[in-house]
PDB file of all heavy atoms in Angstrom:
ATOM      1  N   ASN M 759      -4.687 -15.027  19.579  1.00  0.00           N
ATOM      2  CA  ASN M 759      -4.514 -13.712  18.960  1.00  0.00           C
ATOM      3  C   ASN M 759      -4.192 -13.895  17.479  1.00  0.00           C
ATOM      4  O   ASN M 759      -3.067 -14.182  17.097  1.00  0.00           O
ATOM      5  CB  ASN M 759      -3.386 -12.950  19.664  1.00  0.00           C
ATOM      6  CG  ASN M 759      -3.273 -11.528  19.156  1.00  0.00           C
ATOM      7  OD1 ASN M 759      -3.451 -11.278  17.967  1.00  0.00           O
ATOM      8  ND2 ASN M 759      -2.970 -10.603  20.052  1.00  0.00           N
ATOM      9  N   PRO M 760      -5.215 -13.728  16.629  1.00  0.00           N
ATOM     10  CA  PRO M 760      -4.998 -14.024  15.206  1.00  0.00           C
ATOM     11  C   PRO M 760      -3.897 -13.186  14.567  1.00  0.00           C
ATOM     12  O   PRO M 760      -3.174 -13.686  13.696  1.00  0.00           O
ATOM     13  CB  PRO M 760      -6.352 -13.716  14.562  1.00  0.00           C
ATOM     14  CG  PRO M 760      -7.270 -13.242  15.619  1.00  0.00           C
ATOM     15  CD  PRO M 760      -6.593 -13.315  16.941  1.00  0.00           C
ATOM     16  N   LEU M 761      -3.755 -11.939  14.969  1.00  0.00           N
ATOM     17  CA  LEU M 761      -2.726 -11.105  14.323  1.00  0.00           C
ATOM     18  C   LEU M 761      -1.330 -11.590  14.681  1.00  0.00           C
ATOM     19  O   LEU M 761      -0.410 -11.530  13.851  1.00  0.00           O
ATOM     20  CB  LEU M 761      -2.891  -9.634  14.732  1.00  0.00           C
ATOM     21  CG  LEU M 761      -4.181  -8.968  14.250  1.00  0.00           C
ATOM     22  CD1 LEU M 761      -4.289  -7.554  14.816  1.00  0.00           C
ATOM     23  CD2 LEU M 761      -4.239  -8.942  12.729  1.00  0.00           C
ATOM     24  N   VAL M 762      -1.155 -12.071  15.895  1.00  0.00           N
ATOM     25  CA  VAL M 762       0.160 -12.598  16.270  1.00  0.00           C
ATOM     26  C   VAL M 762       0.412 -13.920  15.551  1.00  0.00           C
ATOM     27  O   VAL M 762       1.512 -14.174  15.060  1.00  0.00           O
ATOM     28  CB  VAL M 762       0.285 -12.765  17.799  1.00  0.00           C
ATOM     29  CG1 VAL M 762       1.652 -13.334  18.155  1.00  0.00           C
ATOM     30  CG2 VAL M 762       0.068 -11.429  18.501  1.00  0.00           C
ATOM     31  N   MET M 763      -0.636 -14.718  15.422  1.00  0.00           N
ATOM     32  CA  MET M 763      -0.459 -15.983  14.694  1.00  0.00           C
ATOM     33  C   MET M 763      -0.098 -15.723  13.225  1.00  0.00           C
ATOM     34  O   MET M 763       0.631 -16.506  12.617  1.00  0.00           O
ATOM     35  CB  MET M 763      -1.710 -16.862  14.821  1.00  0.00           C
ATOM     36  CG  MET M 763      -1.917 -17.446  16.217  1.00  0.00           C
ATOM     37  SD  MET M 763      -0.473 -18.362  16.844  1.00  0.00           S
ATOM     38  CE  MET M 763      -0.578 -19.891  15.896  1.00  0.00           C
ATOM     39  N   ASP M 764      -0.598 -14.638  12.665  1.00  0.00           N
ATOM     40  CA  ASP M 764      -0.187 -14.280  11.296  1.00  0.00           C
ATOM     41  C   ASP M 764       1.334 -14.137  11.217  1.00  0.00           C
ATOM     42  O   ASP M 764       1.968 -14.583  10.255  1.00  0.00           O
ATOM     43  CB  ASP M 764      -0.828 -12.951  10.854  1.00  0.00           C
ATOM     44  CG  ASP M 764      -2.337 -13.073  10.639  1.00  0.00           C
ATOM     45  OD1 ASP M 764      -2.836 -14.207  10.537  1.00  0.00           O
ATOM     46  OD2 ASP M 764      -2.993 -12.022  10.576  1.00  0.00           O
ATOM     47  N   GLN M 765       1.908 -13.504  12.217  1.00  0.00           N
ATOM     48  CA  GLN M 765       3.361 -13.314  12.242  1.00  0.00           C
ATOM     49  C   GLN M 765       4.075 -14.666  12.335  1.00  0.00           C
ATOM     50  O   GLN M 765       5.103 -14.892  11.706  1.00  0.00           O
ATOM     51  CB  GLN M 765       3.770 -12.464  13.460  1.00  0.00           C
ATOM     52  CG  GLN M 765       3.058 -11.142  13.592  1.00  0.00           C
ATOM     53  CD  GLN M 765       3.471 -10.189  12.522  1.00  0.00           C
ATOM     54  OE1 GLN M 765       4.667  -9.988  12.293  1.00  0.00           O
ATOM     55  NE2 GLN M 765       2.513  -9.626  11.836  1.00  0.00           N
ATOM     56  N   TRP M 766       3.506 -15.508  13.147  1.00  0.00           N
ATOM     57  CA  TRP M 766       4.073 -16.851  13.352  1.00  0.00           C
ATOM     58  C   TRP M 766       4.072 -17.637  12.031  1.00  0.00           C
ATOM     59  O   TRP M 766       5.038 -18.307  11.675  1.00  0.00           O
ATOM     60  CB  TRP M 766       3.225 -17.544  14.425  1.00  0.00           C
ATOM     61  CG  TRP M 766       3.666 -18.887  14.888  1.00  0.00           C
ATOM     62  CD1 TRP M 766       4.646 -19.174  15.798  1.00  0.00           C
ATOM     63  CD2 TRP M 766       3.107 -20.152  14.499  1.00  0.00           C
ATOM     64  NE1 TRP M 766       4.725 -20.539  15.999  1.00  0.00           N
ATOM     65  CE2 TRP M 766       3.784 -21.157  15.217  1.00  0.00           C
ATOM     66  CE3 TRP M 766       2.082 -20.525  13.617  1.00  0.00           C
ATOM     67  CZ2 TRP M 766       3.493 -22.518  15.082  1.00  0.00           C
ATOM     68  CZ3 TRP M 766       1.788 -21.878  13.486  1.00  0.00           C
ATOM     69  CH2 TRP M 766       2.484 -22.859  14.208  1.00  0.00           C
ATOM     70  N   PHE M 767       2.983 -17.516  11.276  1.00  0.00           N
ATOM     71  CA  PHE M 767       2.926 -18.167   9.963  1.00  0.00           C
ATOM     72  C   PHE M 767       3.966 -17.570   9.012  1.00  0.00           C
ATOM     73  O   PHE M 767       4.698 -18.279   8.326  1.00  0.00           O
ATOM     74  CB  PHE M 767       1.525 -18.009   9.351  1.00  0.00           C
ATOM     75  CG  PHE M 767       0.485 -18.929   9.941  1.00  0.00           C
ATOM     76  CD1 PHE M 767      -0.650 -18.416  10.553  1.00  0.00           C
ATOM     77  CD2 PHE M 767       0.635 -20.311   9.873  1.00  0.00           C
ATOM     78  CE1 PHE M 767      -1.622 -19.262  11.090  1.00  0.00           C
ATOM     79  CE2 PHE M 767      -0.329 -21.172  10.405  1.00  0.00           C
ATOM     80  CZ  PHE M 767      -1.456 -20.641  11.016  1.00  0.00           C
ATOM     81  N   SER M 768       4.034 -16.233   8.988  1.00  0.00           N
ATOM     82  CA  SER M 768       4.917 -15.561   8.023  1.00  0.00           C
ATOM     83  C   SER M 768       6.380 -15.888   8.229  1.00  0.00           C
ATOM     84  O   SER M 768       7.124 -16.117   7.273  1.00  0.00           O
ATOM     85  CB  SER M 768       4.765 -14.042   8.141  1.00  0.00           C
ATOM     86  OG  SER M 768       3.590 -13.644   7.514  1.00  0.00           O
ATOM     87  N   VAL M 769       6.781 -15.880   9.473  1.00  0.00           N
ATOM     88  CA  VAL M 769       8.183 -16.131   9.782  1.00  0.00           C
ATOM     89  C   VAL M 769       8.606 -17.503   9.250  1.00  0.00           C
ATOM     90  O   VAL M 769       9.698 -17.678   8.708  1.00  0.00           O
ATOM     91  CB  VAL M 769       8.374 -16.032  11.319  1.00  0.00           C
ATOM     92  CG1 VAL M 769       9.544 -16.843  11.789  1.00  0.00           C
ATOM     93  CG2 VAL M 769       8.491 -14.577  11.734  1.00  0.00           C
ATOM     94  N   GLN M 770       7.709 -18.468   9.358  1.00  0.00           N
ATOM     95  CA  GLN M 770       8.051 -19.809   8.890  1.00  0.00           C
ATOM     96  C   GLN M 770       7.963 -19.907   7.367  1.00  0.00           C
ATOM     97  O   GLN M 770       8.781 -20.568   6.731  1.00  0.00           O
ATOM     98  CB  GLN M 770       7.125 -20.834   9.536  1.00  0.00           C
ATOM     99  CG  GLN M 770       7.278 -20.852  11.054  1.00  0.00           C
ATOM    100  CD  GLN M 770       6.303 -21.821  11.711  1.00  0.00           C
ATOM    101  OE1 GLN M 770       6.487 -23.035  11.641  1.00  0.00           O
ATOM    102  NE2 GLN M 770       5.253 -21.283  12.316  1.00  0.00           N
ATOM    103  N   ALA M 771       6.965 -19.229   6.792  1.00  0.00           N
ATOM    104  CA  ALA M 771       6.794 -19.310   5.338  1.00  0.00           C
ATOM    105  C   ALA M 771       7.944 -18.634   4.602  1.00  0.00           C
ATOM    106  O   ALA M 771       8.289 -19.009   3.487  1.00  0.00           O
ATOM    107  CB  ALA M 771       5.474 -18.669   4.932  1.00  0.00           C
ATOM    108  N   ALA M 772       8.544 -17.632   5.237  1.00  0.00           N
ATOM    109  CA  ALA M 772       9.587 -16.870   4.560  1.00  0.00           C
ATOM    110  C   ALA M 772      10.970 -17.478   4.740  1.00  0.00           C
ATOM    111  O   ALA M 772      11.931 -17.021   4.134  1.00  0.00           O
ATOM    112  CB  ALA M 772       9.579 -15.424   5.060  1.00  0.00           C
ATOM    113  N   SER M 773      11.078 -18.501   5.559  1.00  0.00           N
ATOM    114  CA  SER M 773      12.400 -19.080   5.815  1.00  0.00           C
ATOM    115  C   SER M 773      12.897 -19.859   4.601  1.00  0.00           C
ATOM    116  O   SER M 773      12.212 -20.738   4.069  1.00  0.00           O
ATOM    117  CB  SER M 773      12.344 -20.005   7.031  1.00  0.00           C
ATOM    118  OG  SER M 773      13.501 -20.808   7.037  1.00  0.00           O
TER     119      SER M 773
END
Side-chain angles (χ1 to χ4, degrees):
N759 186 322
L761 295 175
V762 179
M763 289 306 285
D764 290 344
Q765 306 291 310
W766 185 80
F767 283 121
S768 283
V769 154
Q770 298 177 74
S773 164

